Amino acid sequence: MEEKIALFTIFGGTGDLARRKLYPSLYRLYKKGFLNKKFAVIGTARREWSDEYYREIVLDTIADLTESKEDALEFASHFYYQAHNVTDAEHYSTLKQLSKKLNDTYQLEDNHIYYLAMSPQFFGTITEHLKDQELISDTGFNRLIIEKPFGHDYESAATLNEQIRASFKEEQIYRIDHYLGKEMIQNISAVRFANTIFESMWNNRYIDNIQITLSESLGVEERGGYYDTSGALRDMVQNHILQVVSLLAMEPPIELKDEAIREEKIKALRSLRIYSKEEVQKYFVRGQYGASTVDGVTSLDYREEKNVAPDSTTETFVAGKVLIDNFRWAGVPFYIRTGKNLRQKGTQINIQFKSMPLNLFSDDHTEALEPNVLTIYIQPTEGFSLQLNSKKIGPGLETELLNLKHKNSAETSSNSPEAYEKLILDCLNGDATNFTHWDEVAQSWKFVDVIRDTWDQETPEFPNYPSKSMGPVCSDELLEKDGFKWFWNPKSN
Ligand code: NAD
């Protein structure tokens, strides 16, 4: 195990993301030996905390993961707290002094990872000050990890990008999309490029349609304030879903390394058909959940949730047909769907192959056979399944469906590294494969912006789906019009 050497500076060190994801991930990397003696963490936020108090908080966040108290204390001793208002230029010189001191104490070779775990409105200010106050070193590496959302449309994203690029080069910027850290998302490349039977059929000659579902079973919970200004299109489609589309649609890269993969993903995103208003109305539908009582559990109407406007027109559900205008995919719809308060939590991809030209197993050969479907389960279950037709045992020539399934065991899944752990390690290794490049962000916004603009000109009739259903009727109709149906249709209990 090669020890990684770096000073992490976490802006927003007292926040939810830092506590729930970053400290536990750093601890896992420490347990595995990737972090050992030569690392230190500076947590910053406005509050006045002592190092001791900060370390207690850090210890609290890893309590479930620790086996030895000594070990945990040793880990926490690498953490330092610095009260810091990101808008105050002077505070950066204090930060610089502490960075220098820790760099010497822990022999960190001037390697810096700046993690912006706070509201995006501050990203530009922070990066500007980091440069002006000379916190960016000349000798070691300087890497910047930033959280989503990256802008709220193309224009704001481009402005933000310009601000950040004034201080950091594109190759120093690691834009997090935690979906890209998930084991099974990374497995898409293995399914395609390690299996002749799939890659040889991965095109419009053999694939009828592809379906991507990111289904959440909870409502907005405590995030109503943020969500009401964002909605499902910006929160899920612009980033996670289009990233999955690009991984499924891209051409084989010349090698499985960051630049080669990015190049192909960007090409795939450039091939997305940017819709006209009329096409948006035809190919995209939205929904908002209403109250319901299922199995004795009552869910609120979205508009009654905390910090949500009582007349909100924010969508909590999106379904759409994405078209990729290139040689491989012309004519193959990629149906996407995501929503809150749906019947079952889960992310899965269903690849539906074309039907047989004739059904030799039916008397008049016309009744269609069920299609072959390859399913990639992303979460919470991880695995694959392949739907096949086989002959029913017994007399006659009746067919029946058979499902070949591989699901990672609960033990394998729980041992597989958390997305944030993987992504932080990638960043320590200087590997940007699983982060989003500016060109990808830009292209995704361009696709999403026309949908948003079209929708903003009309007032939708919301709510239009009951909580704990699989979304509004218009989502089913979208596929029915093309002669398809959602393959994943979990039933209520
Ligand atoms: P949070 O509100 O819990 O934390 C924000 C942090 O910023 C706090 O430490 C706060 O003290 C600090 N802060 C605010 N104003 C400051 C200022 N002027 N100077 C210095 N510090 C200041 O937010 P969060 O949930 O941790 O989210 C952080 C970022 O991560 C956001 O961009 C969010 O969209 C993104 N994100 C969070 C999650 C999550 O699970 N929490 C998931 C995905 C993305």
Side-chain angles (χ1 to χ4, degrees):
M1 191 91 30
E2 195 198 334
E3 182 189 353
K4 310 292 169 201
I5 301 167
L7 171 63
F8 294 85
T9 306
I10 300 181
F11 292 92
T14 62
D16 175 68
L17 182 78
R19 293 184 201 215
R20 277 195 315 113
K21 298 290 180 189
L22 306 187
Y23 302 145
S25 297
L26 288 170
Y27 183 64
R28 287 199 192 88
L29 292 174
Y30 170 79
K31 289 284 283 181
K32 291 177 183 171
F34 291 112
L35 296 176
N36 188 4
K37 299 273 178 245
K38 296 185 179 180
F39 84 97
V41 180
I42 303 177
T44 80
R46 273 178 308 188
R47 284 176 231 182
E48 297 283 343
W49 280 4
S50 63
D51 288 344
E52 288 66 35
Y53 185 72
Y54 181 45
R55 288 172 191 168
E56 270 174 40
I57 298 279
V58 171
L59 285 171
D60 248 14
T61 68
I62 59 168
D64 291 349
L65 305 171
T66 48
E67 281 147 26
S68 121
K69 195 169 174 208
E70 250 183 4
D71 194 46
L73 285 172
E74 212 294 306
F75 169 74
S77 72
H78 290 250
F79 283 68
Y80 296 80
Y81 185 80
Q82 178 67 56
H84 176 98
N85 186 340
V86 295
T87 54
D88 189 332
E90 271 177 31
H91 286 189
Y92 289 82
S93 50
T94 323
L95 195 58
K96 189 173 167 186
Q97 283 165 18
L98 179 59
S99 296
K100 280 207 154 127
K101 193 175 119 201
L102 297 180
N103 185 58
D104 295 342
T105 314
Y106 291 97
Q107 300 164 40
L108 301 177
E109 301 176 8
D110 256 339
N111 288 342
H112 290 277
I113 292 185
Y114 293 105
Y115 200 122
L116 310 192
M118 54 190 298
S119 168
Q121 60 172 320
F122 297 118
F123 292 172
T125 313
I126 299 173
T127 52
E128 192 188 324
H129 285 311
L130 288 177
K131 186 173 181 211
D132 291 352
Q133 310 298 319
E134 296 169 347
L135 274 112
I136 299 174
S137 67
D138 298 327
T139 45
F141 63 66
N142 299 281
R143 296 176 188 150
L144 178 76
I145 306 186
I146 40 187
E147 275 294 336
K148 75 165 196 179
F150 199 88
H152 58 267
D153 56 13
Y154 172 74
E155 224 176 277
S156 57
T159 307
L160 175 58
N161 198 49
E162 254 172 52
Q163 282 178 318
I164 295 173
R165 287 289 299 278
S167 308
F168 288 86
K169 298 191 193 94
E170 177 64 34
E171 62 269 23
Q172 296 175 316
I173 304 172
Y174 292 71
R175 296 179 194 81
I176 288 255
D177 183 331
H178 71 273
Y179 252 75
L180 298 179
K182 291 191 188 292
E183 190 63 36
M184 293 304 294
I185 294 286
Q186 299 185 354
N187 221 323
I188 293 174
S189 291
V191 173
R192 292 188 52 189
F193 308 129
N195 295 292
T196 318
I197 54 165
F198 294 128
E199 190 51 28
S200 58
M201 299 177 76
W202 212 259
N203 56 51
N204 49 12
R205 284 192 296 279
Y206 298 103
I207 292 181
D208 232 0
N209 72 84
I210 292 183
Q211 303 180 8
I212 301 165
T213 303
L214 269 69
S215 168
E216 296 180 273
S217 55
L218 297 175
V220 285
E221 308 253 284
E222 297 303 312
R223 290 177 72 224
Y226 160 74
Y227 195 85
D228 207 37
T229 60
S230 162
L233 184 69
R234 288 190 175 122
D235 195 45
M236 303 296 270
V237 177
Q238 183 271 336
N239 37 54
H240 312 318
I241 290 191
L242 290 181
Q243 282 293 316
V244 175
V245 168
S246 70
L247 286 167
L248 289 166
M250 71 180 182
E251 292 301 311
I254 50 172
E255 54 178 353
L256 286 177
K257 296 244 170 82
D258 52 1
E259 272 178 40
I261 295 178
R262 275 176 167 188
E263 218 170 278
E264 298 308 333
K265 281 170 70 191
I266 291 167
K267 272 197 244 165
L269 290 168
R270 281 205 193 111
S271 313
L272 290 181
R273 188 183 305 175
I274 308 279
Y275 289 143
S276 63
K277 265 185 196 164
E278 293 69 34
E279 284 173 315
V280 170
Q281 281 154 347
K282 237 170 42 192
Y283 298 150
F284 266 80
V285 298
R286 54 182 159 161
Q288 187 186 76
Y289 61 80
S292 77
T293 302
V294 176
D295 298 333
V297 180
T298 301
S299 312
L300 287 182
D301 198 288
Y302 172 71
R303 291 171 176 176
E304 291 168 9
E305 299 272 17
K306 203 163 82 187
N307 298 328
V308 168
D311 55 352
S312 171
T313 55
T314 300
E315 77 285 352
T316 60
F317 179 96
V318 177
K321 171 157 96 170
V322 177
L323 294 171
I324 301 179
D325 288 332
N326 65 18
F327 205 78
R328 187 188 281 262
W329 294 115
V332 180
F334 283 61
Y335 297 108
I336 60 166
R337 166 174 71 154
T338 183
K340 288 203 176 287
N341 240 341
L342 300 183
R343 192 173 291 139
Q344 208 180 91
K345 176 184 165 67
T347 300
Q348 59 174 264
I349 302 166
N350 311 106
I351 293 123
Q352 183 175 331
F353 293 90
K354 289 206 161 118
S355 299
M356 281 289 161
L358 270 186
N359 180 359
L360 294 175
F361 298 84
S362 79
D363 288 341
D364 61 1
H365 296 181
T366 53
E367 193 191 320
L369 279 163
E370 289 293 328
N372 296 131
V373 177
L374 169 70
T375 297
I376 305 175
Y377 301 93
I378 312 290
Q379 67 171 16
T381 308
E382 296 181 346
F384 307 99
S385 70
L386 183 60
Q387 174 175 284
L388 301 171
N389 288 299
S390 75
K391 185 193 155 298
K392 207 172 184 175
I393 293 174
L397 275 176
E398 228 182 302
T399 56
E400 67 177 353
L401 275 180
L402 183 107
N403 220 349
L404 302 185
K405 251 189 192 164
H406 167 77
K407 291 202 174 167
N408 287 346
S409 67
E411 196 193 351
T412 313
S413 296
S414 65
N415 284 341
S416 72
E418 273 257 339
Y420 273 94
E421 174 189 343
K422 277 187 174 192
L423 294 171
I424 293 173
L425 181 59
D426 282 352
C427 180
L428 280 163
N429 284 327
D431 179 355
T433 311
N434 298 311
F435 295 83
T436 41
H437 188 274
W438 163 245
D439 291 350
E440 298 171 59
V441 176
Q443 208 51 34
S444 305
W445 275 125
K446 285 180 191 166
F447 179 80
V448 157
D449 280 354
V450 273
I451 304 172
R452 185 76 270 159
D453 288 349
T454 308
W455 282 354
D456 286 348
Q457 288 165 28
E458 292 158 14
T459 310
E461 282 183 31
F462 283 165
N464 63 349
Y465 71 94
S467 298
K468 313 304 171 203
S469 67
M470 280 311 276
V473 177
C474 50
S475 153
D476 296 325
E477 288 169 352
L478 183 75
L479 275 70
E480 280 160 18
K481 277 193 282 190
D482 296 342
F484 299 124
K485 59 178 194 285
W486 289 109
F487 183 75
W488 185 36
N489 188 17
K491 299 277 174 278
S492 49
N493 297 329

